[in-house]
Amino acid sequence: MKENLRIAAVQMPTVWMDYKENLKYMKEAIERAKEEQNVDLVIFPELSSIGYIRERNKQFGCKYIKSAEKISGPFVSGIAQQAKKSGVYVITGMTELHPEITGSLYNSAVLIDPRGDIVGKHRKLHIPGYEKHYFIPGSSAEVFKTPIGNIGITICYDGQFPELTRTLALKGAEVLVMLWNMPDFSNPPELLHYITATRAAENRMFSISCNRIGQDGEISFFGHSAVSDPVGNFLAKAEREETILYATLSRDVLLEERAQQPVFRDRRPDMYSELIKPL
């Protein structure tokens, strides 16, 4: 990874089913982060294009699907234009229309480079609760090897499966980026800080959680975004406020901690067969 990787995690509200307003906010945030801290990477929460879903409701579902778009659509194009203008990498969540099947959705994250090109995408693998009525699970776990570092991406519930984040680490991830729409009703806010630090320490890599704030319908979101070093020390963390978290990720720190505690060498995969047995 880059010797000193400067990142920004944007803890933002989202306007329900209005990609234009969200895009405007996000473009301004990218520009601000570049001007204030000369960042290399700007990160936005899960489903930043049009917001979260609600309980199963076919009228709402119809409106939500009509507000979604393909990766080639205007939301990603607008983010790509700003990434190129500001000369930064951007990771954002979005509601993605299936490229072929009408009315089908993915909960996706897109990584865009400073040329405005799409480096890759991650589609949420673990779909909880009533999200199952709206989203198809993804089927790949990739690490994106870029000039600023090897980046693994998870989306919300994905981050509660250490099997996945360890897989990303074994594929070379140095930086784990976790996008969230974690709401008040399901977990205490502090859980997000715990998960961020734990995923980092387990794999001796940097870990970034970017959650949203605000409300969609009756669901409110508590923020608590965080950035952790490879042993669980917080480089930055937020509470419930609208903010941009900044942090510098040092390659020397990553190497020092992996030299001190070689967790990959010390693994015992011969003892982990239970992990892949069906229930």
Side-chain angles (χ1 to χ4, degrees):
M1 62 180 283
K2 186 178 178 181
E3 285 297 325
N4 290 290
L5 171 59
R6 190 71 181 159
I7 69 95
V10 182
Q11 184 167 284
M12 60 177 281
T14 303
V15 181
W16 218 2
M17 293 188 285
D18 190 340
Y19 87 86
K20 291 182 180 179
E21 282 299 311
N22 296 322
L23 177 59
K24 180 176 181 288
Y25 182 107
M26 294 165 73
K27 291 172 76 171
E28 291 172 354
I30 293 168
E31 190 170 32
R32 175 185 162 191
K34 184 65 175 181
E35 290 177 355
E36 289 184 350
Q37 297 286 340
N38 193 30
V39 299
D40 304 293
L41 171 64
V42 183
I43 300 160
F44 294 98
E46 176 186 14
L47 299 174
S48 287
S49 59
I50 59 170
Y52 196 61
I53 49 90
R54 58 180 289 180
E55 292 184 23
R56 190 176 187 182
N57 177 302
K58 63 183 180 181
Q59 287 78 28
F60 169 82
C62 177
K63 292 178 182 178
Y64 193 75
I65 290 167
K66 289 169 71 175
S67 299
E69 63 183 68
K70 297 179 181 178
I71 286 178
S72 59
F75 173 76
V76 173
S77 295
I79 295 293
Q81 289 170 7
Q82 188 63 51
K84 183 176 181 179
K85 179 180 178 182
S86 297
V88 297
Y89 286 84
V90 177
I91 297 173
T92 181
M94 67 172 294
T95 305
E96 180 196 355
L97 282 175
H98 192 285
E100 303 295 339
I101 305 172
T102 302
S104 296
L105 302 173
Y106 290 109
N107 183 336
S108 299
V110 181
L111 170 59
I112 299 165
D113 71 16
R115 298 173 299 180
D117 295 331
I118 295 173
V119 176
K121 63 181 179 292
H122 171 73
R123 290 167 171 162
K124 188 172 181 177
L125 296 168
H126 303 88
I127 311 296
Y130 53 79
E131 286 186 32
K132 289 180 172 68
H133 297 302
Y134 295 89
F135 298 115
I136 302 168
S139 57
S140 65
E142 297 182 47
V143 171
F144 305 103
K145 298 183 178 180
T146 77
I148 61 171
N150 298 341
I151 300 171
I153 301 173
T154 66
I155 301 175
C156 206
Y157 196 35
D158 286 343
Q160 297 194 45
F161 291 83
E163 302 93 332
L164 173 58
T165 49
R166 173 53 58 86
T167 297
L168 294 173
L170 291 172
K171 288 185 172 185
E174 300 161 320
V175 179
L176 174 66
V177 175
M178 298 188 286
L179 312 184
W180 302 84
N181 271 189
M182 188 178 276
D184 276 319
F185 69 79
S186 60
N187 297 291
E190 295 76 17
L191 179 64
L192 201 56
H193 290 168
Y194 303 149
I195 290 173
T196 308
T198 301
R199 296 291 91 87
E202 287 170 341
N203 297 291
R204 290 305 191 267
M205 62 184 175
F206 291 100
S207 178
I208 304 159
S209 281
C210 186
N211 194 22
R212 62 164 289 190
I213 57 169
Q215 189 151 333
D216 285 346
E218 298 179 356
I219 302 173
S220 60
F221 303 88
F222 56 60
H224 280 70
S225 300
V227 184
S228 174
D229 78 0
V231 288
N233 296 312
F234 290 111
L235 302 177
K237 59 181 179 178
E239 299 298 322
R240 193 180 286 265
E241 71 276 18
E242 182 176 348
T243 188
I244 300 178
L245 289 185
Y246 295 109
T248 299
L249 316 185
S250 166
R251 184 171 183 267
D252 281 355
V253 169
L254 178 81
L255 297 179
E256 287 167 2
E257 298 304 339
R258 288 192 170 184
Q260 172 69 20
Q261 193 76 39
V263 293
F264 306 114
R265 183 205 66 188
D266 294 341
R267 291 171 62 247
R268 288 291 308 277
D270 56 306
M271 299 299 298
Y272 307 151
S273 60
E274 290 295 324
L275 292 175
I276 59 172
K277 289 181 179 179
L279 294 179

